[in-house]
Amino acid sequence: MSLRQLPSVDVLLGEVPLLIETFGRETVVNMIRTVLDETRQAFSQDQITAVPQPAILLEQVKVRLQERFQPSLRPVINATGVILHTNLGRAPLARSAVDAMMAIAQGYNTLEFDLTSGKRGKRQQHIEDLTAETLGAQAAMVVNNAAAGVLLTLSALAQGREVIISRGQLVEIGGGFRIPDVMAQSGAHLVEVGTTNRTRLADYEHAISEQTALLMRAHASNFKMIGFTEEVNLVELVALAQRHNLKCVDDLGSGALLDTAQFGLAHEPTVQESLAAGVDVVIFSGDKLLGGPQAGVIAGKKDTLEVLKRHPLARAVRVDKLTIAAMVATLDIYRRGQAAAQIPIWRMIAKPLEEIRKVAERWASAVPGVVLEGESTVGGGSLPGETLPTVLFAPQAESAQELQTRLRRHDPPIIARVKDGRLLLDPRTVLEEQTDLITAALKEHGGKA
């Protein structure tokens, strides 16, 4: 065999009109040259003993081009049983929210245009009143995430002044995000009170000085303390702030509008409870228990919200048209009282165990494996330590780790977990339209080492 048998670039190029149409002529030419150069090198180093056929070379070109142009941000199937999986994008959106985003994305829109007057409008006008109405707040605004909400609030209300917070609430959540770091960026001076496990109202009161701007509570998010603990009731904290003419801010985090106790979980503090306690500002995420897009919702008293809206930082953390569209659609579901039926995460939380079992058994009828009792978790920094009973499917496999890798490389990728040497698939977090995709993937990859 000789390298003279290697086809030319032009010969190979003439065989791939579809690739040229898809990726562009120059890109395809460069990839063909790369594959040919690598083939020559492999042949000269005796790594291969024969020149590959043109069809094999073209398949290499095709695969390499597809890999190169495959975006890293891709849809996946979440079979982990973690409902708000931060690494997998947290809350999947309701159908109406997706439709709303598509409608706005495909053309021009009234983002900052008033149809009645024909003059420039304000983007927050599309979301402010609906958010306030849904939450039962005097006023509200939406920014690009909850951390931005905290940053804006403290910058506007406490820059150069003191913010008093319990030492036990200075949390770090995923990605190394720390509450004290955000507070420092705002220019506010952090004053820690109490101990890690016990903080009393007197601790806050003794720390108040002429430099104090506000009292703050931060939700524990992804951890909980048990045993010898004590924390101040939010109603008491608000009353203390009012006695000293201070603001009270609640960084609530998860943003639950429904009572989680009705689904067999521990009670997660709700936004409505914070507002009823009289806080000046409550801040929470849009893509956690609210079930919407990534956003930070700020709600509370009208005069305080006006200060935030006028702050220069408000423009830097404002939301885009697609987030507004998705948030409006999501909040409209709550306003209609249909969240448990239409918001995907609440449907997952409320999914009956027998319905989950039927899916697991359907997978078991397709490929060898066992059906097991197990637990799902809420995740996303919400309800730490709380679980929901579920039914898992563990496909037969010589190597659970190898099968996990194969499923992760499948199209679409399927993300599962391995425990005690078994690959576990939890139907609770698999969308209805995805169950057959998992069946097909298991038939293709199941049981292989």
Side-chain angles (χ1 to χ4, degrees), residues 149-393:
V150 174
L151 180 63
L152 173 61
T153 299
L154 297 183
S155 297
L157 302 180
Q159 191 170 58
R161 301 183 64 192
E162 295 174 349
V163 173
I164 302 176
I165 187 171
S166 169
R167 183 170 283 107
Q169 295 171 8
L170 297 176
V171 300
E172 176 180 321
I173 59 177
F177 173 85
R178 294 182 172 184
I179 289 290
D181 294 341
V182 175
M183 296 176 72
Q185 287 296 317
S186 72
H189 302 306
L190 173 66
V191 177
E192 304 175 29
V193 296
T195 62
T196 302
N197 60 320
R198 305 197 80 182
T199 303
R200 302 179 178 86
L201 190 65
D203 295 322
Y204 288 93
E205 189 154 24
H206 292 158
I208 294 174
S209 72
E210 293 182 355
Q211 293 301 312
T212 303
L214 59 87
L215 309 182
M216 183 172 177
R217 183 183 79 163
H219 183 44
S221 185
N222 53 1
F223 83 100
K224 65 178 181 179
M225 288 189 290
I226 58 175
F228 193 60
T229 64
E230 182 179 354
E231 62 181 10
V232 177
N233 180 281
L234 188 58
V235 173
E236 295 177 327
L237 195 63
V238 169
L240 177 62
Q242 291 175 347
R243 286 200 301 272
H244 291 270
N245 198 30
L246 303 173
K247 302 291 186 184
C248 186
V249 172
D250 189 16
D251 177 13
L252 193 55
S254 64
L257 300 190
L258 302 183
D259 184 4
T260 51
Q262 66 181 302
F263 302 102
L265 294 163
H267 175 70
E268 178 82 352
T270 67
V271 177
Q272 297 93 321
E273 289 168 350
S274 294
L275 292 169
V279 298
D280 295 276
V281 177
V282 58
I283 306 159
F284 59 94
S285 296
D287 59 348
K288 292 185 179 179
L289 286 177
L290 185 70
Q294 177 182 300
V297 182
I298 309 173
K301 296 182 178 177
K302 186 176 180 62
D303 58 345
T304 306
L305 266 291
E306 287 301 319
V307 175
L308 271 58
K309 293 173 186 177
R310 292 194 300 268
H311 194 275
L313 191 58
R315 181 177 179 85
V317 298
R318 68 181 183 177
V319 288
D320 73 325
K321 59 190 177 184
L322 301 183
T323 302
I324 291 173
M327 279 294 293
V328 167
T330 301
L331 291 170
D332 187 61
I333 293 173
Y334 282 95
R335 184 169 58 170
R336 297 170 185 269
Q338 299 172 344
Q342 294 191 22
I343 301 290
I345 63 157
W346 288 112
R347 291 177 61 184
M348 291 176 187
I349 289 172
K351 188 177 291 186
L353 196 60
E354 284 311 305
E355 184 178 324
I356 297 173
R357 186 182 302 278
K358 287 179 181 178
V359 177
E361 291 176 345
R362 191 188 316 168
W363 292 336
S365 68
V367 296
V370 294
V371 174
L372 304 166
E373 304 297 322
E375 295 178 336
S376 308
T377 59
V378 177
S382 304
L383 295 163
E386 288 292 306
T387 61
L388 292 161
T390 194
V391 181
L392 307 168
F393 176 59

